[in-house]
Amino acid sequence: MNLAQHLIIAPILIPLVTGAALLLFDERQRTLKAMIGLASTIAIFAVAIALFRFADRIDGPDMAQQGVYLLGNWAAPFGIVLVVDRLSALMLVLTSTLAIPALIFALARWHTAGVHFHSLFQFLLMGLNGAFLTGDLFNLFVFFEVMLAASYGLLLHGSGLLRVKAGLHYIAVNLAAALLFLIGVSLIYGVTGTLNMADLAVRVATVGAEQRMLLEAGAGILGVAFLIKAGMWPLNFWLPPAYTAASAPVAGIFAIMSKVGIYVILRLTLLVFGEGTPSSGFGLHVLLIGGLATITFGAIGVLASQALGRLAGFSVLVSSGTMLTAIGMGSGGITTGALFYLVSSTLTISAFFMLIELVERGQDAGASVLAVTMEAYGDADAEDEEEEGGGGFAMPGTMAMLGICFAACGILLAGLPPLSGFVAKFAMLSAMLNPAGGESVAPVPAYIWFVVFLIILSGLSALIAMTRSGIRTFWASLEGTAPRVLVIEMAPVLMLLFATMVLTVQAGPVMRYMDATTEALSATHHYIDAVTGARRVGAPGPEVQP
Amino acid sequence: MELILSLGIGVMTGSGVWLILRPRTYQVIIGLSLLSYAVNLFIFGVGGLKVNAPAILTDGVAVSAYSDPVPQALVLTAIVIGFATTALFLVVLIASRGLTGTDHVDGREQSQ
């Protein structure tokens, strides 16, 4: 074990310890809590970057012995393992890239709108990171629940009628999903006798024909639980109201939560039901058709939305649907594009959720909700002083900045050049139309044309909806008062948009990384060998270091 | 024993599903509790039903004489997590009742 290997558990430990420690401080020590939370989040980001570089170096055939962390020093099928490979490292980096701007945004005012914001935020990060790292199905359930429990608290943060109503539905749906998760996991355990994902992939091949139906039923039920999280139609009616009702920084970090379901589906389908296994291609059709239905539903929702918040909520669905469709097509090239799309669309939607709050601040609805919550927590006076005394720098040229950011979000959501949304969609569509990748033009099946058509149409609907709302918000504004926006509220949005710009400029290297990720995902034996071959510390026998 | 267990799980699941589809929040929470009991029993059942079989290994006893300890550990975790989330849901439910003045899941009575 070297230091890099011990880093694998850090993305779980840092937020756990920080979140627990923050509970000990009184709510009045707001600045201190904020600083500790921010420091922890930045530390997680640093660790995630380190793991990202580590995974890039060790993945592939060399992964054995390195990317696997045996918790409690128990060997693989008996103990719980944490595994870092390219995909999980990518998701870790994405999570912390969203977390820092969301937290900074919250520091402007939102973290004062209720209690324990910083603890809940850290626990949410812990659940997310854990879900991305774990290599054990039941442990995945536990991290899912940690994440969900924190998200219930965060969704209700700021209170108010709208949040409680949306929260009630959100919690009920997710509790039911958790039960489905348990049924699926226990069915799979009942058939294969293992919960370790790598061991499961090995044992699935040996399951007899009469047991296979039970296994597939279990996998299907498990899949439903993840699809509820990912927001596949018709399991997604809870999502837009919940994301709309959440306060802006919370919605910003929630943008990654629907991707957790997609991450798990991507990992498990390729690992357990990948090519060459007896149940190869299990459930791909459901993903494809469900994904297309989700895109359609999301695009209609985007067009029908009057409020910006709902527009963003339905954009989450469009993004999920596109990802599910791409996974459902079950081809490496498309998955590469889809991973790029995942990063790009998550950053965009997160930025968009925060931007909406700033844009709508000038209008009545959002401001009055905030005012009510502030009053409820007795912060009205403190806030007023801050407003008058200028505790924080107001943004110069507010409307111009907001307009530019809004336009950038629109371009990203619609997938127009020059930003990363275009690169992502182009990569996916070109892989769909020309799977061979060469000059040869093979005839494209009709359903592919349909998929391409639908994806482009969803972009068009986003463009129409964004243009319409943009005109209404920025050009046809009657009152003409610019909202007062602080620099630390604008900066997070700019940071996220800057990240998408980096994605665009560095599209080549990023795409190569995604390509390597897809390759590593399809070469399941590397993952399996790494997990099953991981040795305990101090175990007898020669260390096999390739 | 298998029959009784499966009937128990089935009845609780059926009642639970019916209850979570009802419009009152109290019915929903009871339905979720029933469902979680059913799921806990189900998890317990996948390890195979055995009477008087210990889960702790001792030397010189055949493996078939033990009951599977993993589902027992899983069910313990599931109970704890289910308990915590139900408690949290209860708080939200009461908050919703206080804010809306009704126990309808949509926060308002359906217009007659």
Side-chain angles (χ1 to χ4, degrees):
Chain A
M1 292 296 259
N2 52 33
L3 186 67
Q5 277 173 286
H6 281 294
L7 269 186
I8 295 174
I9 200 170
I12 299 170
L13 281 188
I14 295 173
L16 172 66
V17 172
T18 315
L22 283 175
L23 287 176
L24 303 176
F25 291 100
D26 192 85
E27 279 298 319
R28 274 167 297 187
Q29 291 169 299
R30 221 170 260 150
T31 325
L32 181 65
K33 288 183 91 158
M35 286 308 125
I36 295 175
L38 193 62
S40 150
T41 315
I42 291 173
I44 298 168
F45 180 69
V47 171
I49 292 285
L51 283 177
F52 184 77
R53 296 167 62 99
F54 177 63
D56 199 24
R57 206 168 59 237
I58 57 151
D59 211 353
D62 298 343
M63 187 179 155
Q65 303 284 326
Q66 302 240 5
V68 182
Y69 191 87
L70 303 176
L71 286 176
N73 204 14
W74 284 88
F78 304 109
I80 292 167
V81 289
L82 300 181
V83 187
V84 61
D85 63 353
R86 280 198 171 87
L87 181 61
S88 42
L90 174 73
M91 298 307 285
L92 287 181
V93 171
L94 184 59
T95 308
S96 45
T97 313
L98 292 187
I100 294 178
L103 192 60
I104 293 177
F105 190 94
L107 295 188
R109 58 208 298 189
W110 275 108
H111 73 132
T112 59
V115 288
H116 298 310
F117 175 83
H118 291 287
S119 294
L120 288 169
F121 193 84
Q122 296 296 326
F123 291 140
L124 181 73
L125 289 183
M126 175 200 166
L128 285 164
N129 289 339
F132 293 138
L133 281 173
T134 186
D136 181 280
L137 274 182
F138 199 79
N139 194 230
L140 180 68
F141 168 75
V142 175
F143 279 122
F144 245 68
E145 287 304 310
V146 170
M147 175 186 90
L148 287 173
S151 79
Y152 302 152
L154 282 176
L155 176 61
L156 297 168
H157 180 76
S159 196
L161 183 58
L162 197 63
R163 297 212 175 94
V164 171
K165 264 163 72 176
L168 190 74
H169 296 179
Y170 175 72
I171 298 176
V173 168
N174 278 297
L175 285 181
L179 297 175
L180 288 175
F181 195 143
L182 282 174
I183 294 175
V185 165
S186 52
L187 265 177
I188 289 176
Y189 176 80
V191 175
T192 61
T194 185
L195 289 166
N196 184 293
M197 293 182 198
D199 197 30
L200 179 67
V202 175
R203 294 208 194 180
V204 158
T206 62
V207 171
E210 68 278 11
Q211 293 272 302
R212 181 154 298 282
M213 201 176 67
L214 209 55
L215 176 78
E216 288 180 357
I221 293 172
L222 195 60
V224 170
F226 298 135
L227 288 173
I228 290 175
K229 204 81 225 79
M232 188 181 88
W233 187 87
L235 307 170
N236 58 10
F237 299 111
W238 58 272
L239 196 145
Y243 280 44
T244 312
S247 54
V250 173
I253 190 76
F254 273 19
I256 187 84
M257 287 217 329
S258 59
K259 305 298 184 290
V260 180
I262 289 174
Y263 160 84
V264 179
I265 287 168
L266 184 62
R267 162 137 293 166
L268 286 184
T269 26
L270 287 175
L271 188 64
V272 180
F273 300 116
E275 275 173 50
T277 53
S279 304
S280 173
F282 172 76
L284 285 185
H285 281 95
V286 178
L287 292 183
L288 178 61
I289 295 167
L292 290 175
T294 314
I295 297 178
T296 316
F297 178 75
I300 294 173
V302 164
L303 278 179
S305 300
Q306 294 296 317
L308 282 172
R310 286 191 75 79
L311 201 163
F314 280 106
S315 302
V316 174
L317 294 185
V318 173
S319 153
S320 281
T322 313
M323 286 293 304
L324 289 172
T325 311
I327 297 172
M329 296 180 87
S331 128
I334 303 173
T335 313
T336 307
L339 285 174
F340 193 94
Y341 179 78
L342 184 144
V343 176
S344 161
S345 71
T346 312
L347 291 172
T348 310
I349 289 171
S350 179
F352 190 41
F353 268 121
M354 289 190 251
L355 183 66
I356 287 169
E357 206 257 333
L358 301 181
V359 169
E360 288 191 333
R361 184 169 295 169
Q363 298 157 4
D364 278 327
S368 59
V369 171
L370 187 64
V372 168
T373 33
M374 291 297 179
E375 210 171 315
Y377 282 92
D379 288 329
D381 298 334
E383 272 311 299
D384 283 348
E385 275 168 32
E386 210 172 292
E387 295 277 346
E388 287 156 16
F393 298 100
M395 195 76 194
T398 308
M399 281 321 263
M401 283 307 284
L402 289 178
I404 291 170
C405 291
F406 192 86
C409 280
I411 290 171
L412 282 162
L413 282 176
L416 291 179
L419 291 178
S420 62
F422 172 73
V423 182
K425 280 199 179 165
F426 183 81
M428 273 192 293
L429 296 183
S430 80
M432 282 176 197
L433 293 175
N434 188 6
E439 290 292 314
S440 64
V441 180
V444 179
Y447 85 96
I448 300 252
W449 281 115
F450 182 67
V451 172
V452 169
F453 170 73
L454 214 54
I455 288 179
I456 292 176
L457 201 66
S458 73
L460 180 68
S461 75
L463 186 65
I464 293 172
M466 289 296 281
T467 315
R468 194 183 52 193
S469 330
I471 289 173
R472 206 170 44 217
T473 319
F474 291 100
W475 291 351
S477 176
L478 287 175
E479 57 267 52
T481 51
R484 188 176 182 280
V485 174
L486 304 181
V487 172
I488 62 164
E489 291 175 309
M490 203 62 222
V493 179
L494 290 175
M495 274 159 78
L496 287 170
L497 292 178
F498 178 72
T500 64
M501 225 167 301
V502 172
L503 265 188
T504 321
V505 176
Q506 293 293 318
V510 174
M511 215 49 137
R512 270 197 293 283
Y513 183 89
M514 302 301 182
D515 221 15
T517 309
T518 319
E519 237 168 70
L521 280 176
S522 333
T524 51
H525 57 274
H526 291 154
Y527 183 93
I528 295 169
D529 288 349
V531 174
T532 51
R535 272 168 198 286
R536 297 194 294 124
V537 176
E543 288 270 311
V544 190
Q545 289 282 10
Chain B
M1 184 167 62
E2 281 82 358
L3 185 70
I4 293 173
L5 186 81
S6 41
L7 273 178
I9 294 173
V11 168
M12 275 201 281
T13 311
S15 327
V17 168
W18 188 75
L19 278 173
I20 62 169
L21 298 176
R22 301 298 300 157
R24 302 284 154 204
T25 48
Y26 184 72
Q27 291 168 316
V28 172
I29 200 164
I30 294 295
L32 281 169
S33 308
L34 280 181
L35 275 178
S36 78
Y37 298 148
V39 169
N40 289 340
L41 276 180
F42 180 80
I43 300 173
F44 200 69
V46 295
L49 296 178
K50 278 181 184 165
V51 178
N52 274 342
I56 309 235
L57 299 180
T58 34
D59 282 336
V61 182
V63 177
S64 58
Y66 298 107
S67 58
D68 191 344
V70 177
Q72 301 184 7
L74 301 188
V75 89
L76 197 62
T77 318
I79 289 170
V80 173
I81 291 179
F83 184 67
T85 45
T86 309
L88 198 139
F89 188 54
L90 198 60
V91 173
V92 178
L93 192 149
I94 291 167
S96 166
R97 173 74 178 80
L99 281 169
T100 62
T102 162
D103 64 345
H104 195 279
V105 285
D106 287 334
R108 60 166 192 276
E109 295 295 327
Q110 278 169 322
S111 48
Q112 299 300 315

